[in-house]
């Protein structure tokens, strides 16, 4: 039976009004299977022009829109948890405020959820200055066993592409406040809880790659978060001792290598799953 879908879209002060409009319209108006509602989480105060754009999108939307206005900026994880609490429907789709959904995204993903999956993601296209300026592709593992295996080393889902069951996400504690890695931690908790996982290799989202994308994946802050994440994985039994040591060496080293090396490693090892 068809299930109802909530679209969860966080917005913060750094988002651009035109990018938000494009993200919203592509994920609602332009979809061949539209969501049944949109929950926009305003993560703290935003500039007046962005506030006005949010209000305009809510008024002109073909489906109901609820705006969850947080008084202060709490970060992505807590903002998404607040949005999940406001969603009325059992299935939730994620979307970022500067990406673009392809028109058939939900028409493809929802039947997989309705067929028994708890979470389904997809491939994505990375673009630069404009949506047709495709600079790369991220292809995830598609077989459930490969998804679970991949998760012990690298992020198994492209976060802006996922559709999942809200009840399971909330039952494992949601995203929580784990900056920079809140999505990866959530996927691990869901897999430990026995989630039925699925991915489509087909890109269903266009992902905006800003300047400094590879620089942001490195540095001491990223290394500290990486180490904390790997300790968390080990403590919850998600990884073995050998996997823990491997991840500290390989993923930790990735955070410290020069940016040009990180770019090559990302494109050839992380972005595209090859088994």
């Amino acid at each position: 039976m068809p299930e109802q879908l909530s679209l969860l879209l966080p917005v913060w002060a750094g988002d651009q009004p035109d990018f938000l409009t494009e993200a919203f319209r592509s994920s609602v108006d332009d979809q061949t299977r539209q969501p049944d509602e949109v929950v926009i989480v305003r993560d703290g105060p935003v500039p007046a022009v962005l506030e006005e754009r949010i209000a305009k999108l809510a008024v002109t939307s073909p489906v109901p829109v609820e705006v969850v206005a947080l008084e202060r900026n709490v970060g992505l994880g807590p903002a998404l948890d607040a949005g999940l609490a406001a969603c009325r429907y059992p299935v939730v789709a994620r979307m970022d405020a500067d990406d673009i959904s392809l028109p058939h995204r939900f028409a493809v993903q929802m039947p997989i959820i309705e067929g028994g999956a708890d979470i389904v993601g997809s491939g994505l296209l990375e673009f630069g200055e404009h949506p047709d300026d495709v600079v790369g592709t991220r292809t995830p593992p598609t077989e459930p066993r490969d998804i679970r295996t991949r998760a012990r080393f690298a992020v198994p889902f492209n976060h802006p592409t996922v559709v999942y069951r809200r009840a399971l996400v909330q039952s494992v504690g949601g995203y929580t406040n784990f900056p920079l890695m809140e999505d990866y931690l959530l996927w691990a908790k869901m897999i430990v809880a026995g989630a039925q996982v699925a991915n489509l290799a087909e890109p269903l989202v266009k992902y905006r790659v800003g300047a400094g994308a590879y620089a942001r994946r490195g540095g001491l802050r990223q290394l500290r978060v990486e180490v904390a994440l790997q300790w968390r994985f080990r403590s919850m039994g998600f990884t073995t001792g050998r996997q823990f040591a491997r991840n500290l060496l390989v993923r930790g080293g990735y955070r410290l290598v020069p940016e040009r090396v990180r770019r090559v490693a990302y494109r050839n090892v992380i972005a595209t799953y090859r088994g």
Side-chain angles (χ1 to χ4, degrees):
M1 294 290 293
E3 296 196 54
Q4 291 179 297
L5 173 68
S6 298
L7 177 68
L8 177 56
L9 198 165
V11 181
W12 74 294
D15 287 320
Q16 300 298 315
D18 289 345
F19 293 168
L20 171 61
T21 297
E22 198 167 17
F24 187 99
R25 298 298 187 204
S26 71
S27 303
V28 181
D29 303 61
D30 299 341
Q31 287 295 307
T32 57
R33 177 172 176 174
Q34 293 180 334
D36 297 283
E37 71 163 353
V38 181
V39 174
I40 296 177
V41 183
R42 196 203 68 193
D43 187 11
V46 299
V49 64
L50 184 56
E51 187 81 68
E52 292 169 2
R53 188 63 60 90
I54 293 171
K56 181 178 179 180
L57 289 170
V59 169
T60 60
S61 171
V63 303
V65 176
E66 178 173 354
V67 178
V68 178
L70 304 180
E71 292 185 0
R72 62 182 182 88
N73 178 261
V74 297
L76 182 59
L80 289 174
D81 285 334
L84 283 170
C87 290
R88 292 188 294 170
Y89 299 121
V91 182
V92 175
R94 274 284 290 112
M95 186 62 185
D96 286 336
D98 56 356
D99 298 333
I100 299 171
S101 291
L102 297 187
H104 59 297
R105 177 185 171 187
F106 301 139
V108 172
Q109 289 182 298
M110 284 300 290
I112 299 174
I113 290 286
E114 290 158 350
D118 294 308
I119 178 171
V120 55
S122 78
L124 58 75
L125 299 173
E126 298 178 339
F127 69 95
E129 294 297 323
H130 53 82
D132 293 330
D133 176 29
V134 176
V135 298
T137 304
R138 292 193 209 170
T139 305
T142 56
E143 294 298 322
R145 180 177 179 180
D146 292 339
I147 294 171
R148 296 186 185 97
T149 299
R150 178 67 165 176
R152 268 72 183 185
F153 175 68
V155 181
F157 299 100
N158 292 317
H159 191 195
T161 74
V162 297
V163 177
Y164 48 49
R165 292 199 171 275
R166 179 169 56 91
L168 180 56
V169 171
Q170 293 179 313
S171 73
V172 300
Y175 285 90
T176 71
N177 188 18
F178 203 98
L180 306 178
M181 295 284 190
E182 54 274 302
D183 59 325
Y184 194 0
L185 178 58
L186 176 59
W187 313 147
K189 292 188 295 185
M190 292 178 71
I191 289 172
V192 169
Q196 297 300 307
V197 296
N199 261 325
L200 295 159
E202 178 187 2
L204 295 176
V205 171
K206 290 187 175 182
Y207 177 83
R208 192 179 304 271
V209 180
Y214 295 103
R216 288 194 297 272
R217 294 188 173 99
L220 291 178
R221 185 188 180 202
Q222 279 281 1
L223 177 61
R224 287 193 292 269
V225 173
E226 184 69 60
V227 172
L229 181 73
Q230 295 307 325
W231 276 110
R232 185 73 175 270
F233 283 173
R234 186 70 191 101
S235 67
M236 59 191 278
F238 186 61
T239 54
T240 65
R242 292 183 64 180
Q243 291 168 337
F244 170 75
R246 174 202 63 189
N247 292 352
L248 284 182
L249 178 64
V250 178
R251 291 181 58 89
Y254 171 80
R255 307 300 180 186
L256 297 178
V257 297
E259 183 178 343
R260 64 182 182 278
V261 178
R262 193 179 307 120
R263 181 185 296 110
V264 173
Y266 176 80
R267 292 256 62 92
N268 289 280
V269 178
I270 297 175
T272 299
Y273 178 76
R274 294 183 172 86

